[in-house]
Amino acid sequence: MVNLSEIPGSISLTSDSWTSISSDSYLSLTGHFIDEAWSLKSLVLDIDKLNYPHSGENLAERISDILEEYEISDNVKTLTTDGGSNMMKICDKLNNRALIIIQIPCAAHQINLAVKSGLENLDEKRGGTISKLRKIIEKIKRSPKILEEFKEVVNKTNDPNLKLILEVSTRWNSTFEMLDRALSLKSSINSFLLSTKSKVMKNFEISYCEWNPIEELIIILKPFNTGTKALC
């Protein structure tokens, strides 16, 4: 077991908070440091269940307690978090406790915010093509009957192992994955929308002019997706 209080250099922290599927909230804290052999090491210091409210003050208090438990309060120099308002207040609160810690915004989260903003603006200018495709995929995936009909079309026109991907609103690169997979299933989606017996899906159509910007968008987004995965 590494004794963090005895390492020769400084320690950088990363922290995140999230809510579980059962609505319980948690805070994680990880320490990163260079050991005596000049190897980068990362150690999970704690994953702590949080009590309400999840304010910057309460998060800072818990982090301060963890640092004291490991006897590393004076060794920590930076803390990397996402851009949540409560997370951004942590260092201010810690520094009020006579600690000197620099807060660093998470690069992957900054990319996420920038790309999501860009996608929203682009979708609005393009007449809601991304929103339309998202709605089509959502309706297909959430109806067993419609999904089965779509699978039959895929088996005839595409690789049957390919499945539609529905984005997760908190992860911009899931939008890239949704669009990229939809483009791979383009012929199946077009055939399905033309032949479906579902009254719900009869109202949807994606024209050639709507597919074209999606193809261009994937080319633009691919480097951001690669960068996000490399950071995470």
Side-chain angles (χ1 to χ4, degrees):
M1 181 68 180
V2 178
N3 187 341
L4 291 177
S5 64
E6 296 181 358
I7 67 167
S10 301
I11 298 171
S12 295
L13 301 176
T14 53
S15 183
D16 195 14
S17 62
W18 69 94
T19 302
S20 70
I21 195 170
S22 58
S23 298
D24 293 320
S25 296
Y26 294 89
L27 173 74
S28 68
L29 190 66
T30 304
H32 312 272
F33 57 93
I34 304 292
D35 67 10
E36 293 180 348
W38 285 91
S39 296
L40 176 62
K41 302 293 184 181
S42 297
L43 181 67
V44 176
L45 305 181
D46 204 350
I47 297 178
D48 199 37
K49 189 174 180 180
L50 294 173
N51 295 320
Y52 187 83
H54 313 141
S55 63
E57 178 70 41
N58 288 345
L59 296 178
E61 182 177 355
R62 182 61 195 124
I63 290 175
S64 180
D65 290 342
I66 295 170
L67 299 185
E68 289 179 11
E69 289 171 20
Y70 282 90
E71 300 179 353
I72 57 173
S73 297
D74 295 333
N75 297 41
V76 173
K77 302 304 179 186
T78 65
L79 171 65
T80 299
T81 69
D82 65 26
S85 59
N86 58 340
M87 301 299 284
M88 294 303 291
K89 292 177 182 177
I90 291 176
C91 276
D92 287 339
K93 303 299 182 183
L94 287 173
N95 291 340
N96 288 339
R97 296 167 180 259
L99 300 176
I100 303 175
I101 299 175
I102 299 171
Q103 189 147 12
I104 300 175
C106 171
H109 189 251
Q110 298 305 306
I111 292 175
N112 179 61
L113 294 176
V115 174
K116 280 184 70 175
S117 177
L119 284 172
E120 290 171 4
N121 291 332
L122 183 62
D123 193 34
E124 187 176 336
K125 289 178 180 178
R126 292 289 186 174
T129 301
I130 298 174
S131 299
K132 182 195 289 189
L133 186 58
R134 181 190 301 118
K135 191 170 289 186
I136 290 170
I137 294 170
E138 186 176 24
K139 289 188 177 297
I140 292 174
K141 287 181 70 69
R142 292 188 176 175
S143 168
K145 183 178 180 180
I146 296 175
L147 180 59
E148 191 60 35
E149 185 184 354
F150 179 73
K151 285 180 179 178
E152 291 177 6
V153 176
V154 173
N155 289 337
K156 296 175 183 177
T157 57
N158 268 111
D159 182 348
N161 293 318
L162 291 178
K163 294 179 174 58
L164 290 170
I165 296 173
L166 184 62
E167 69 177 356
V168 178
S169 60
T170 55
R171 290 177 51 245
W172 85 263
N173 52 326
S174 69
T175 305
F176 169 81
E177 291 163 359
M178 177 184 75
L179 298 176
D180 192 42
R181 179 57 55 83
L183 191 60
S184 298
L185 290 167
K186 175 181 174 181
S187 58
S188 294
I189 293 172
N190 286 340
S191 297
F192 169 74
L193 293 176
L194 286 171
S195 64
T196 182
K197 299 174 183 177
S198 168
K199 293 181 180 179
V200 174
M201 303 306 300
K202 283 287 187 182
N203 297 324
F204 291 102
E205 179 186 2
I206 300 183
S207 66
Y208 172 80
C209 292
E210 290 174 310
W211 279 113
N212 192 47
I214 290 177
E215 294 176 8
E216 295 173 352
L217 189 58
I218 287 172
I219 295 172
I220 295 170
L221 291 178
K222 194 168 185 177
F224 292 99
N225 183 57
T226 302
T228 300
K229 288 185 174 180
L231 289 167
C232 296

